[in-house]
Structures are given as C-alpha cells and as structure tokens.
Amino acid sequence: MANEFSLEVIKRESLTKGGLNQLRKKDRVPGIFYSYDSKESVSFYVERKILREAHKSGARIFNINVGDKKRTVIFKSIQYHPITDMVIHVDLYGVKMDQVVVVNVEIKLIGSAVGIVEGGIVVPGLSDISIECLPMDIPEFIEVDISNLKLGDSFRIEDLELDEKLGIKSSPDQILASVTHPMKEEEPEVVEEEEMDEE
C-alpha cells in the first residue's frame, strides 16, 4: 500500500511567463490542481524543499488543502528543465481512493542482457508506460528484467507480468528494450577511398 504525504501548497493567481520565472527564482515551483469532480483548476505554488521532501518520502498519494477543503491528490505530470533537470512545473490531480486512475509509471531496466556477450548493445525503449489502478496501488516504478534478451531480441509491453491490480493502457507492441548490433559506418569510407584511387 502506498504511503501518504501532506504537501503544503499555496494558492496563487494566474501569472505571466515572467511572473512564473520570478516564482522559480525564489525556489518556488508553480503548479495546477484539477480534480475528477470539477472542471475548474486551481493555480498554486509549492516550496522546492517541500517538493524534495515529498519525493524522498517515496509516497504516491498526497494530501493538500485547497481553500477550506482537504484533498487527496497524485502527481499527474512533472515538467523538468531540459538542461538543469530541475522541476519547473507540476500538475496535481484530485482523486477518489476507490476510483481507478490512469497514470504514467517509470520503467527501470535491470539485469545484464546475454546478447551483450554476443556483441550486441542494449537499446532502451519507452521510459514510462501508462497504467490504470486504484490510487493506493500506484507503483513507484516498474522493473523490467532484460537478462534473457539475446542479440536481436526485444522486450515489449505485452511481455510484462504485472500485478493483477495494474491494468496496462499503453499499446502492447511498444518496445521497452532491445538488443541490437552496434551501428557500423565503415562502408562509406571505403567507397570514398576507391573513388580517390580512380582519380
């Protein structure tokens, strides 16, 4: 069962891009809250250090106060800065504990593929997949054991053996990892040399 964590968020007005950047400079991360039972969204910000504590807790379920209401939420999406990898925006989604939700869960490749010994290289596929389950059953990540992959083999979503509480929403034929021949780019060089000899 997933842990819960109380997340302190502060309501804010809608801001321009410049205003959002000012927030971030003060170590505050802007976000949007929306819920299964409302079409309205609420803009907020959360202190970066609190966000770090939430991440360290390993929790998947969070409690926040929106106005005078205590709400149970999950992180629906997290945006990272492309260079610094710092969190720049979060979306929180209000859930009902007995109602199934659809979320993206990180894929972690484990093991060393036997195909590497045969001269192959491991090419990672999707970094996360979409699943549906009750909020309390959301896994922190899904492990994919690639130990048995030989040269030319692929591990697809349909090969996953997940807990029956988890339903897969992503397309079953999508690849999570494959073992392929390393790319060789020697032939064009040989052709160039032959052309030079003819001259």
Side-chain angles (χ1 to χ4, degrees):
M1 213 157 83
N3 297 325
E4 291 189 27
F5 185 94
S6 290
L7 193 66
E8 187 184 348
V9 302
I10 294 94
K11 193 173 175 181
R12 64 175 172 86
E13 299 303 315
S14 293
L15 296 169
T16 61
K17 193 174 179 182
L20 292 173
N21 286 333
Q22 285 299 316
L23 259 187
R24 295 181 185 114
K25 282 179 183 173
K26 294 175 183 173
D27 256 356
R28 294 168 174 169
V29 180
I32 300 285
F33 162 81
Y34 55 107
S35 178
Y36 73 95
D37 60 356
S38 172
K39 289 180 181 176
E40 291 183 11
S41 61
V42 177
S43 299
F44 68 87
Y45 70 81
V46 58
E47 298 288 345
R48 193 173 297 283
K49 65 176 183 179
I50 291 174
L51 208 55
R52 278 196 290 263
E53 287 167 11
H55 180 69
K56 282 181 187 172
S57 74
R60 300 292 286 178
I61 310 291
F62 300 88
N63 296 313
I64 66 169
N65 287 312
V66 180
D68 56 354
K69 277 186 178 179
K70 183 183 174 188
R71 302 301 302 254
T72 302
V73 302
I74 59 172
F75 279 88
K76 191 72 173 173
S77 72
I78 302 174
Q79 290 176 31
Y80 295 92
H81 190 282
I83 297 169
T84 64
D85 225 21
M86 195 174 272
V87 176
I88 56 172
H89 194 275
V90 293
D91 282 357
L92 297 180
Y93 181 65
V95 297
K96 198 175 174 184
M97 295 310 286
D98 60 357
Q99 196 170 73
V100 166
V101 292
V102 176
V103 291
N104 284 0
V105 177
E106 181 189 357
I107 291 292
K108 279 196 175 181
L109 303 182
I110 59 168
S112 181
V114 293
I116 293 174
V117 181
E118 303 170 293
I121 56 168
V122 175
V123 180
L126 294 180
S127 59
D128 57 33
I129 65 167
S130 180
I131 65 165
E132 64 176 1
C133 61
L134 291 172
M136 283 305 242
D137 295 326
I138 300 171
E140 193 174 347
F141 52 81
I142 292 171
E143 288 187 340
V144 173
D145 188 350
I146 60 170
S147 304
N148 295 325
L149 288 189
K150 296 175 184 173
L151 190 55
D153 286 351
S154 294
F155 194 109
R156 300 176 189 275
I157 288 178
E158 62 192 358
D159 300 319
L160 282 171
E161 292 180 11
L162 298 182
D163 190 299
E164 58 186 24
K165 295 174 184 174
L166 309 178
I168 297 173
K169 299 295 285 181
S170 296
S171 177
D173 60 350
Q174 289 185 291
I175 293 173
L176 300 179
S178 56
V179 180
T180 65
H181 286 283
M183 292 287 285
K184 289 184 180 178
E185 296 182 3
E186 294 167 11
E187 290 176 19
E189 292 175 16
V190 175
V191 172
E192 286 171 17
E193 284 172 14
E194 284 172 2
E195 286 171 358
M196 286 173 69
D197 290 343
E198 285 172 11
E199 287 173 13

